[in-house]
Amino acid sequence: MESPRVIAGVARIVRDVAIAEELAQDALVAALERWPRDGVPDNPGAWLMATAKHRAIDLVRRRERYARKLAEVGRDLEATPYHVDEPADPDDIDDDLLRLVFTACHPVLSAESRIALTLRLLGGLTTAEIARAFLVPETTVAQRIVRAKRTLAAKGVAFEVPYGPERDARLGSVLEVIYLIFNEGYAATAGDDLLRPALCEDALRLARVLAELMPKEPEVHGLASLLEFQASRSAARTGPNGEPVLLGDQNRTRWNRLLIARGVTALGRADAVATGAPGPYALQAAIAACHAHAHRYEDTDWARIVALYGLLAARSPSPVVELNRAVAVSMAKGPGPALEIVDRLAGEPALRGYHLLPSVRADLLARLGRTAEARAEFERAASLARNERERELLRARAQDCR
């Protein structure tokens, strides 16, 4: 939980993301060695941060190329408590995690590498989890992360705040990073739990801070709105034993009305500052708003959701968007037309191994009364799912088809 913050804090000192990650790991190892003997400190996060920063100072001292900076930087770092805020420019990003996001999203890296590196450093995601988010092989993601670290070091990229056009150029990658971190927390790729709440909280906090920092960017507010709406359902998405609860079966009285209100406000801000057609995040937020405004599943305005997915597919086409559109079409027009859309997606390389494709197809087949085919598709979806909770749900649905 503390690792991303420690990495971000240390990166400001050593100006090297890869070295900052190593020093953060050293601090965690030191904690494993000392805490069982001395006891866990009152503020574990502060202890880890201080330990990592002291090791960073030692590293700076050992390197001759930092000798000229040592007298000033070393004394300041040792004398200044880790928690004291530094003076900030009014336009500065006064948050180490966001600084690290913008640094990792430097234009010297490819868009894919920027996102993969930031997810690894800030989201704490494994290579496998990032690969799932990208729908690409694990080896591809591992290579991207290694190359990204090497490139940042080779180019001497500073751990600094971008301004003006440079910040705008990196914004798209930053938004996607926050979005994917939240998604991994909202529906964990692997493991025994469906949710990883800490990831959702970190992503939501980053989105809120970014929205305050960049109030004239509609897509920043669109993303914040989307995450508020999605987070509002968290308490209702799992049962007493952690099992997934499908949207149609959720107890909507457990939806967080405060977060829904925040989502409505953020979506209003996105509309207010938009100068053209809504962007992908604002469109997704509008779809989420349709669900939030429906007091019962039966009250959902599926026709509007289908229309919004059509706009989203035109603005940001992808097989996953099309799959989601098929689900909405099934609710608005029936499973038959939706199955035609899903069958057209069967040959999409990006969806090969994506468990939600056979899962959606199975649901449509079951509603059409083709239970034997539905059972086979649910079983195939279960074999592809890597989250144990999702796997159990899909197996149960396959059994229901019997």
Side-chain angles (χ1 to χ4, degrees):
M1 291 172 60
E2 295 294 337
S3 179
R5 294 178 176 84
V6 175
I7 293 171
V10 174
R12 297 184 66 187
I13 301 171
V14 298
R15 308 287 175 171
D16 187 303
V17 171
I19 293 176
E21 190 176 19
E22 292 175 5
L23 291 171
Q25 291 171 355
D26 287 346
L28 294 170
V29 171
L32 290 173
E33 293 172 346
R34 295 180 56 179
W35 291 0
R37 183 184 71 239
D38 302 337
V40 178
D42 293 336
N43 190 334
W47 190 97
L48 290 168
M49 183 69 79
T51 300
K53 285 191 172 182
H54 288 154
R55 292 180 182 231
I57 295 168
D58 290 340
L59 178 63
V60 171
R61 284 181 173 145
R62 289 196 302 268
R63 295 192 169 190
E64 291 184 359
R65 66 173 176 265
Y66 288 118
R68 287 178 295 178
K69 295 182 180 179
L70 182 58
E72 178 182 349
V73 176
R75 283 195 300 269
D76 288 347
L77 288 172
E78 287 180 328
T80 304
Y82 82 96
H83 60 275
V84 173
D85 293 330
E86 299 177 5
D89 184 280
D91 194 36
D92 198 2
I93 304 173
D94 195 19
D95 184 289
D96 276 345
L97 287 176
L98 277 174
R99 263 192 202 92
L100 185 55
V101 172
F102 273 94
T103 300
C105 291
H106 197 280
V108 298
L109 304 177
S110 68
E112 295 83 0
S113 296
R114 297 174 206 171
I115 297 167
L117 178 61
T118 310
L119 285 171
R120 181 72 186 91
L121 294 178
L122 283 98
L125 276 64
T126 65
T127 302
E129 290 166 344
I130 299 170
R132 183 65 171 178
F134 279 118
L135 301 178
V136 297
E138 291 182 31
T139 53
T140 301
V141 173
Q143 291 169 0
R144 287 175 183 172
I145 292 172
V146 170
R147 285 198 297 265
K149 291 179 182 178
R150 289 175 179 170
T151 301
L152 289 176
K155 298 291 186 180
V157 173
F159 186 70
E160 62 185 8
V161 180
Y163 292 93
E166 185 182 355
R167 179 184 296 178
D168 296 338
R170 296 194 218 174
L171 181 59
S173 291
V174 170
L175 294 179
E176 190 169 2
V177 165
I178 296 173
Y179 177 67
L180 290 175
I181 290 174
F182 182 90
N183 278 354
E184 182 59 32
Y186 191 72
T189 301
D192 297 329
D193 299 316
L194 179 69
L195 306 179
R196 297 175 65 181
L199 284 181
C200 290
E201 291 167 6
D202 271 347
L204 191 53
R205 184 182 69 85
L206 289 171
R208 289 170 177 170
V209 171
L210 195 60
E212 293 301 318
L213 176 73
M214 308 180 78
K216 296 182 180 179
E217 288 290 342
E219 277 292 78
V220 172
H221 294 299
L223 177 63
S225 173
L226 173 61
L227 301 195
E228 300 282 6
F229 282 131
Q230 298 292 76
S232 72
R233 306 178 201 163
S234 295
R237 292 187 63 242
T238 54
N241 298 315
E243 68 277 11
V245 179
L246 298 176
L247 180 63
D249 299 326
Q250 289 176 15
N251 179 359
R252 300 196 174 203
T253 62
R254 299 189 67 197
W255 287 9
N256 189 313
R257 307 312 298 184
L258 173 60
L259 294 182
I260 289 175
R262 292 181 66 104
V264 171
T265 299
L267 186 56
R269 289 174 179 168
D271 292 339
V273 298
T275 56
Y281 294 113
L283 287 170
Q284 291 179 73
I287 292 169
C290 290
H291 293 295
H293 291 317
H295 294 292
R296 300 179 306 159
Y297 187 69
E298 297 77 11
D299 299 332
T300 306
D301 189 349
W302 289 108
R304 174 166 170 74
I305 291 176
V306 170
L308 289 169
Y309 268 121
L311 294 174
L312 180 60
R315 181 69 185 268
S316 183
S318 83
V320 173
V321 169
E322 195 66 6
L323 182 63
N324 287 329
R325 187 176 75 86
V327 174
V329 168
S330 77
M331 300 305 299
K333 302 179 181 179
L339 185 59
E340 295 178 7
I341 299 173
V342 172
D343 285 344
R344 289 198 296 268
L345 295 172
E348 284 287 345
L351 297 181
R352 189 178 297 117
Y354 188 50
H355 71 284
L356 292 182
L357 177 61
S359 174
V360 170
R361 190 169 190 274
D363 183 73
L364 298 175
L365 290 168
R367 289 165 58 187
L368 289 168
R370 297 160 60 177
T371 55
E373 294 173 83
R375 182 174 67 250
E377 285 292 83
F378 276 129
E379 290 173 348
R380 185 163 76 92
S383 70
L384 294 173
R386 298 173 62 187
N387 182 280
E388 185 58 34
R389 295 295 186 176
E390 285 187 302
R391 193 180 298 123
E392 291 173 357
L393 174 64
L394 292 166
R395 287 171 176 163
R397 298 200 68 185
Q399 288 295 324
D400 290 342
C401 290
R402 293 183 183 275

